[in-house]
Amino acid sequence: MIWSILLLTAVTLERLGELVLARRNTRALLAKGGREVGAAHYSTIVSLHAAWLIGLWLFAWNAPLETGWVVVFAGLQVLRFWTLSTLGRRWTTRIIVVPGETLVTAGPYRFLRHPNYVVVIGEIAVLPLCFDMPIYALVFTLVNALVLTIRIRAENAALSGSSHAQQP
């Protein structure tokens, strides 16, 4: 039970910290003349992630952990931190286009166009599996796939329309 609470607490604090970081970076990018693209679906993304995490707190706080899945989840965190550190102040949870900026091609972006989405897809599926909740993982993975389809289309349109989009 304590390990489940610790894992959920760590993920919750990580997400809250990311929202603070994203808000700060977004303000800075907008101050540099950036403009947001695809804002209409942003509240859906936030709602999905909030529902996913709240549901895990409700149903998994006292579940035993599946060690193998925890190791996979830890691997996803390594990719998450690599992605965030590669983008630095350019990382945000929104799609921001800044005139004069070039696309990031270092770090995981050398290998993947959207490494952050690989992490998000993995986390949505893997964290519930850490608590042996395969149906929960499947349901949220399917909903996440629908939302990310909209999100990635918007981001790809921004990237193709301008070589100055920030990749969240």
Side-chain angles (χ1 to χ4, degrees):
M1 173 172 74
I2 188 76
W3 295 111
S4 296
I5 291 171
L6 288 174
L7 180 56
L8 288 170
T9 299
V11 172
T12 301
L13 292 174
E14 178 186 56
R15 291 297 188 278
L16 292 173
E18 286 176 356
L19 287 175
V20 170
L21 177 63
R23 186 171 294 137
R24 185 186 75 210
N25 289 347
T26 296
R27 279 195 303 263
L29 292 168
L30 293 174
K32 288 173 59 175
R35 65 177 173 80
E36 184 171 0
V37 177
H41 67 267
Y42 185 72
S43 62
T44 304
I45 291 172
V46 172
S47 297
L48 168 69
H49 284 259
W52 171 76
L53 194 53
I54 290 167
L56 288 171
W57 271 105
L58 290 173
F59 300 118
W61 68 271
N62 64 346
L65 291 179
E66 301 290 331
T67 307
W69 286 114
V70 173
V71 170
V72 173
F73 189 77
L76 289 167
Q77 298 319 293
V78 171
L79 181 56
R80 170 181 290 288
F81 290 121
W82 188 24
T83 301
L84 269 64
S85 65
T86 298
L87 290 175
R89 293 184 175 163
R90 296 172 71 171
W91 181 84
T92 180
T93 55
R94 297 179 180 267
I95 303 169
I96 307 294
V97 177
V98 179
E101 292 285 343
T102 58
L103 290 176
V104 173
T105 57
Y109 291 90
R110 287 179 293 181
F111 311 107
L112 300 166
R113 183 168 170 101
H114 300 292
N116 199 60
Y117 298 141
V118 171
V119 172
V120 170
I121 290 165
E123 287 176 334
I124 293 287
V126 171
L127 189 58
L129 295 175
C130 291
F131 305 107
D132 194 26
M133 299 173 62
I135 303 301
Y136 192 93
L138 177 63
V139 168
F140 273 93
T141 294
L142 293 174
V143 174
N144 186 49
L146 293 172
V147 173
L148 279 182
T149 298
I150 296 165
R151 171 66 174 215
I152 291 171
R153 281 185 185 152
E155 187 164 328
N156 284 340
L159 292 173
S160 67
S162 166
S163 63
H164 315 301
Q166 306 304 302
Q167 298 177 344

